[in-house]
Amino acid sequence: MDKVVTPTQMISLSTVARRRMRTSKEEMAVLDEYYRKNPNPNQEEKKEIANLLKMGTKNVHFWFQNRRAKENKKKKVFQQQLKQKKSQQTSIPSSSKQKQHYLRSTTNTNTSSKQQQEDSDTQPLQLPPISDIM
């Protein structure tokens, strides 16, 4: 009693890929306007926007999701840049004695070693007091 299985229909496993639809400038302007009003619209508002723009609700949902991610990324980069600027400003000496020492040490970098040795013999190295540094 061997059963022979014969396929009655051939099922195709291949699917047709849908092309990505880009948002037009007009759609982008409307979406931007709604985003400025409310970056987190509820489901009803998303349906309303989708009907207005003749887009799918999923497309509207993902557009808002991507836009929020883009904003968060911009904020993060901006905060990192601010942090770097603040750290650069604090690393530069603030008191006048420190500035003089800082300027003197940076301007003497181009002189020859023999000249530096002569300068160091004639002039003792003056460091600012520790209390000014800390």
Side-chain angles (χ1 to χ4, degrees):
M1 289 179 106
D2 293 327
K3 288 187 180 182
V4 177
V5 179
T6 56
T8 56
Q9 290 181 336
M10 293 298 282
I11 300 173
S12 175
L13 298 177
S14 66
T15 59
V16 177
R18 291 184 359 178
R19 292 254 180 216
R20 178 175 180 239
M21 297 296 292
R22 300 248 180 206
T23 53
S24 67
K25 290 181 182 181
E26 294 81 16
E27 290 170 334
M28 189 70 78
V30 172
L31 288 166
D32 280 333
E33 185 179 330
Y34 275 99
Y35 182 83
R36 274 186 250 118
K37 291 178 185 176
N38 181 13
N40 291 307
N42 61 26
Q43 202 63 27
E44 288 298 317
E45 291 170 330
K46 288 177 191 174
K47 282 181 185 177
E48 183 182 313
I49 295 167
N51 290 336
L52 177 69
L53 298 175
K54 295 176 180 57
M55 292 174 72
T57 54
K58 284 186 178 182
N59 294 35
V60 173
H61 170 79
F62 289 128
W63 186 90
F64 274 91
Q65 188 176 12
N66 290 337
R67 182 61 184 265
R68 287 190 300 269
K70 183 179 177 181
E71 289 291 320
N72 288 336
K73 187 176 181 180
K74 280 184 181 180
K75 286 178 186 177
K76 195 173 186 179
V77 168
F78 180 72
Q79 288 174 350
Q80 287 176 344
Q81 288 174 345
L82 271 178
K83 198 174 185 180
Q84 286 177 347
K85 285 182 182 179
K86 284 182 181 180
S87 67
Q88 288 174 353
Q89 289 175 351
T90 57
S91 67
I92 296 174
S94 57
S95 72
S96 61
K97 287 182 181 180
Q98 287 175 319
K99 285 179 186 175
Q100 290 173 357
H101 176 69
Y102 176 75
L103 291 174
R104 192 179 315 122
S105 65
T106 56
T107 55
N108 288 339
T109 56
N110 293 334
T111 58
S112 68
S113 61
K114 187 175 182 181
Q115 186 181 1
Q116 285 178 351
Q117 188 177 10
E118 289 173 3
D119 287 343
S120 65
D121 291 340
T122 59
Q123 231 178 10
L125 181 63
Q126 294 179 344
L127 296 175
I130 294 177
S131 59
D132 287 350
I133 296 172
M134 297 181 167

